[in-house]
Amino acid sequence: MTDRELMDVAVSMLRRSYCPYSHFPVGAALLCEDGTVFTGCNVENAAYGHSICAERTALVKAVSEGRRRGFVKLAVAGLSEDYCWPCGACRQMLWEFAPELEVLCANREGEIGRAMLRELLPHGFGSAHLNGED
Ligand code: THU
């Protein structure tokens, strides 16, 4: 699957976004090494703090389906002028399962920016820290 195809899947998730409070739709598509793609969108709540981002929706769907490894790339689509990079909470959640993940972000023009999760979350906190290994 090409980057553009993966991003097209993320873009197609924008219409599933439930964002009546922020009016800021986000779509995500998480690619696994076997070609499986888990999708997500942001889902908001009247109690704002319980809202969940598109990236974490996709990740949690994947993990709840039994995937814990082999995540290769995450595409995130937004409709803002700038790229919609994952928020801090999403970076941390992704780090747990995919520290080597590549992240692609699209803006409303459909331009694609890219970065490694390692760049987005330097010195990420992981299980090794809890075990005193780092
Ligand atoms: N949001 C995402 O889904 N992903 C991001 O990377 C940034 C923010 C959502 C959360 C909320 O529903 C809305 O965008 C505005 O913050």
Side-chain angles (χ1 to χ4, degrees), residues 8-110:
D8 285 346
V9 178
V11 168
S12 76
M13 289 304 291
L14 287 167
R15 65 186 149 80
R16 299 259 174 94
S17 165
Y18 177 72
C19 57
Y21 307 106
S22 73
H23 305 288
F24 189 88
V26 184
L30 181 61
L31 176 67
C32 304
E33 60 192 358
D34 68 353
T36 307
V37 176
F38 290 92
T39 57
C41 63
N42 52 335
V43 181
E44 298 185 347
N45 191 271
Y48 299 164
H50 298 299
S51 303
I52 185 166
C53 295
E55 299 93 318
R56 271 177 292 155
T57 301
L59 178 68
V60 167
K61 282 170 69 178
V63 174
S64 64
E65 292 298 320
R67 301 288 178 127
R68 294 185 182 177
R69 285 183 291 280
F71 301 118
V72 179
K73 241 173 240 192
L74 171 71
V76 187
L79 293 176
S80 50
E81 199 178 329
D82 201 357
Y83 298 121
C84 182
W85 295 108
C87 77
C90 289
R91 295 177 195 198
Q92 179 62 36
M93 282 288 285
L94 290 162
W95 182 264
E96 180 83 14
F97 298 98
E100 303 307 329
L101 194 70
E102 184 177 6
V103 180
L104 312 176
C105 292
N107 59 14
R108 72 161 80 107
E109 306 299 334

